[in-house]
Amino acid sequence: MSDEIKRGLQSPLRRKLLMGAAVLPAMALLPRLAFGAGPPTAAVNATGLAVTDTEVTVGILHSATGTMAISETGSIQAEKLAIEQINAMGGVLGRKIKIIQEDGASDWPTFAEKAKKLLVNDKVASIMGCWTSASRKAVLPVMEQYNGMLYYPTFYEGLEQSKNVIYTGQEATQQILAGIDWITKEKNAKSFYFIGSDYIWPRTSNKIARKHIENFLKLKVVGEEYFPLGHTQFNSVINKLKLTKPDVIFTDVVGGSNVAFYKQLKAAGIDLSKQTLLTISVTEDEIDGIGGENIAGAYACMKYFQSLKNENNEKFVAAFKKMWGDKTVIGDVTQAAYLGPWLWKATVEKANSFDVDKVAAASPGIEFKGAPEGYVRIHENHHLWSKTRVGKAKLDGQFDMVFETADLIQPDPFPKGYQ
């Protein structure tokens, strides 16, 4: 990893991890609840999961190390917060949630190996995990082979549906298409330049974006380039941006590479208050490493921003900062990760069972009215109904929300004309 990425990661991640360690003694002071008042284990666990009369074990599987740690640390924190809150309320079916955490280490084969370990050896009742589509694609056959349930928090390209996955982030119609439509109308854009990381999500997302821009909007894509995860040298493509002068730079660079990319954009004199840039990958979590001064003026299309004003979000932000420190920030995927344990709890209690087949069957229609984004509901395709929002990055690392759909958008992971 380059010194530039290390500098971008070291301070925020070190701070987050230290705050996480500091909060553990405080957790020990919480009142002890008497678990075990739920239904008999034999009645709610017919498939040999790690469920006792007093505990149920779940897995957390994210990158705590490597280039994706800048993005995934927040997911780990959010899932732990949700589980702590659920346990404080009495757990799930009278059982305390126990966590086994594994590190995918920003390596897709490692994700698959750790998922198998959690399902086969630890017999977890569910897994909250993954970030990149590459990690999800590596884990998916393991989840399906061993019949596990994954709660996946990241906005992604769609074109997938599984009984064994609940997708708590947005798919392409809720983010990519809606975002491009907004930026085209708002900025009267005619030309786009795509810059992404080199793996399945950016490539497939940009394929969908290109079809929308060229086939439906009848506009132009004037450039498209990809870089390996962890890449830190963007001067060549920045020079091309200066030459082509696209109306919109459309980016889906992920992880620590964003630190180098946005710093080098600014150093090259590209002013994002004048040059329109729309990202579908940078949240407050990444800006914590990038620095607000290097990305101010850019637009992001997400479903959640920390600055969102509603009572649910105010309580969530306060609880998150109390647990992980006042200086921590919360991005879109972090919020979507927080939804996972709550949706799983609601579904298990609806099914009155931890068994995966019963949880999968009970998932459609599950609501979470306490969602920080406002309200979510699981569709029968296992994705969430959600709103689309656009934010404009500020110097302080937060976003001003400049657009919000009036209604929830129905998830459509297989849109016609885009496959």
Side-chain angles (χ1 to χ4, degrees):
M1 188 181 294
S2 75
D3 288 342
E4 187 164 14
I5 284 187
K6 285 181 181 177
R7 287 194 299 271
L9 292 179
Q10 189 176 30
S11 174
L13 283 183
R14 175 176 168 78
R15 182 169 65 243
K16 288 179 177 182
L17 294 173
L18 285 176
M19 289 308 302
V23 84
L24 292 176
M27 286 184 190
L29 299 177
L30 290 171
R32 293 185 179 275
L33 293 171
F35 294 97
T41 299
V44 298
N45 178 29
T47 56
L49 299 172
V51 180
T52 69
D53 289 344
T54 58
E55 281 189 339
V56 54
T57 302
V58 304
I60 287 180
L61 176 57
H62 289 290
S63 297
T65 58
T67 189
M68 291 308 303
I70 189 174
S71 300
E72 297 190 58
T73 296
S75 297
I76 298 169
Q77 294 173 324
E79 288 154 1
K80 288 184 174 180
L81 171 61
I83 289 169
E84 181 68 23
Q85 291 174 331
I86 290 168
N87 282 339
M89 294 171 58
V92 182
L93 292 181
R95 289 155 174 87
K96 179 181 180 180
I97 303 174
K98 175 185 174 183
I99 298 169
I100 295 179
Q101 182 179 338
E102 296 290 349
D103 182 7
S106 305
D107 178 71
W108 324 141
T110 298
F111 267 94
E113 173 192 333
K114 296 297 187 181
K116 182 177 179 180
K117 182 257 184 188
L118 286 168
L119 294 178
V120 176
N121 296 353
D122 300 317
K123 300 187 183 305
V124 297
S126 64
I127 296 175
M128 316 295 159
C130 301
W131 199 102
T132 65
S133 284
S135 65
R136 189 194 70 258
K137 288 293 189 185
V139 163
L140 181 59
V142 179
M143 303 304 297
E144 293 181 337
Q145 179 179 355
Y146 297 103
N147 201 28
M149 181 61 79
L150 174 69
Y151 286 79
Y152 175 67
T154 316
F155 37 73
Y156 86 116
E157 68 279 2
L159 308 181
E160 182 180 296
Q161 182 178 334
S162 173
K163 181 203 82 173
N164 299 90
V165 183
I166 300 295
Y167 306 82
T168 67
Q170 293 170 298
E171 44 75 32
T173 68
Q174 296 169 313
Q175 185 190 32
I176 299 168
L177 305 187
I180 289 173
D181 284 345
W182 179 84
I183 206 81
T184 298
K185 181 178 180 181
E186 184 72 14
K187 300 295 182 180
N188 193 28
K190 306 295 183 184
S191 62
F192 294 75
Y193 200 116
F194 296 167
I195 303 174
S197 294
D198 194 6
Y199 71 100
I200 183 173
W201 175 65
R203 284 190 174 274
T204 307
S205 295
N206 290 350
K207 180 181 177 182
I208 292 168
R210 180 184 282 273
K211 286 187 176 183
H212 190 61
I213 290 165
E214 294 180 343
N215 298 350
F216 292 88
L217 300 179
K218 306 301 182 184
L219 304 174
K220 291 183 179 180
V221 177
V222 296
E224 182 171 358
E225 301 215 23
Y226 298 93
F227 300 91
L229 286 169
H231 189 77
T232 60
Q233 299 300 321
F234 292 94
N235 291 323
S236 175
V237 72
I238 289 171
N239 287 335
K240 293 177 184 178
L241 292 173
K242 288 184 170 181
L243 289 172
T244 55
K245 295 181 172 60
D247 292 331
V248 178
I249 303 171
F250 183 79
T251 70
D252 35 29
V253 175
V254 306
S257 293
N258 281 301
V259 177
F261 177 63
Y262 287 96
K263 286 184 176 181
Q264 287 166 24
L265 273 180
K266 184 177 182 182
I270 293 181
D271 184 350
L272 296 183
S273 67
K274 298 176 181 177
Q275 166 64 64
T276 301
L277 183 148
L278 176 65
T279 175
I280 57 170
S281 59
V282 171
T283 76
E284 293 89 336
D285 289 297
E286 287 78 22
I287 295 178
D288 206 19
I290 294 166
E293 69 279 6
N294 296 308
I295 196 172
Y299 294 94
C301 185
M302 307 283 167
K303 66 173 181 172
Y304 171 85
F305 298 103
Q306 182 181 315
S307 57
L308 197 59
K309 298 189 186 307
N310 66 58
E311 186 178 353
N312 289 351
N313 191 45
E314 289 172 6
K315 291 178 180 177
F316 168 63
V317 171
F320 194 95
K321 288 179 174 291
K322 182 177 181 180
M323 186 170 183
W324 298 107
D326 285 340
K327 294 184 179 180
T328 55
V329 297
I330 305 164
D332 179 275
V333 183
T334 297
Q335 190 266 166
Y338 178 77
L339 305 179
W342 287 104
L343 291 169
W344 175 71
K345 167 185 164 64
T347 312
V348 166
E349 291 176 347
K350 176 185 175 183
N352 199 37
S353 176
F354 293 102
D355 294 344
V356 169
D357 287 343
K358 292 180 180 178
V359 170
S363 290
I366 290 292
E367 301 175 309
F368 181 34
K369 296 180 180 179
E373 65 185 83
Y375 168 82
V376 295
R377 183 170 74 254
I378 302 178
H379 192 277
E380 62 184 19
N381 61 30
H382 279 202
H383 294 70
L384 300 188
W385 293 76
S386 65
K387 290 188 175 185
T388 295
R389 297 177 170 100
V390 177
K392 187 175 184 179
K394 302 191 299 179
L395 283 170
D396 65 0
Q398 292 295 308
F399 287 92
D400 273 333
M401 193 175 72
V402 296
F403 171 74
E404 177 184 62
T405 54
D407 301 311
L408 299 173
I409 297 177
Q410 177 174 315
D412 181 11
F414 297 96
K416 292 181 180 179
Y418 292 90
Q419 299 174 41

